[in-house]
Amino acid sequence: MSKLTTHVLDTAHGRPAAGVKIALFAISGKEKTLVKTDVTNADGRCPPLLEGATMRKGRYELVFEAGAYFAASGVSLPNPPFIEQVTVAFGIADPEQNYHVPLVVTPWSYSTYRGS
């Protein structure tokens, strides 16, 4: 069964990012519809955000609350934080495939890619 998954890695501390709030939005034109929210577990992961029948072709955004995560981790951040939210806009072209969208993040940078 196909699915959309994510995980978050805190490379500033060399560990999975536990407790990151994530929101998934479906994008249609200029309209954004909240599909699901979740929070990463101790391994920096959460259950699949989409799977099976909920996997649909289209445009999506994942919004990661990185600033709140680093503040809760005791990191001294400027006000406002340099990176507060990370928004990853992506498309699902083939809902029969798996899509994995990991986030590698520090208080000053982030990176993502389509994983497996």
Side-chain angles (χ1 to χ4, degrees):
M1 178 173 10
S2 59
K3 61 189 174 211
L4 168 66
T5 56
T6 188
H7 75 272
V8 184
L9 299 172
D10 173 351
T11 55
H13 296 99
R15 64 183 181 212
V20 177
K21 293 179 184 175
I22 300 170
L24 173 67
F25 294 90
I27 310 299
S28 178
K30 293 184 181 185
E31 301 264 333
K32 278 181 156 183
T33 304
L34 179 64
V35 175
K36 187 173 188 177
T37 61
D38 215 321
V39 177
T40 58
N41 63 18
D43 195 33
R45 300 175 185 273
C46 55
L49 297 166
L50 299 173
E51 63 184 322
T54 64
M55 281 286 289
R56 295 191 179 108
K57 183 177 180 174
R59 299 187 188 284
Y60 294 87
E61 285 184 2
L62 279 169
V63 179
F64 300 86
E65 297 293 337
Y69 160 78
F70 284 113
S73 297
V75 175
S76 179
L77 299 171
N79 187 10
F82 181 70
I83 295 186
E84 193 161 353
Q85 290 183 325
V86 175
T87 301
V88 179
F90 64 98
I92 293 178
D94 182 355
E96 298 299 315
Q97 292 187 17
N98 289 326
Y99 286 76
H100 184 66
V101 184
L103 178 68
V104 178
V105 66
T106 77
W108 312 108
S109 64
Y110 64 88
S111 179
T112 189
Y113 54 94
R114 181 176 173 190
S116 56

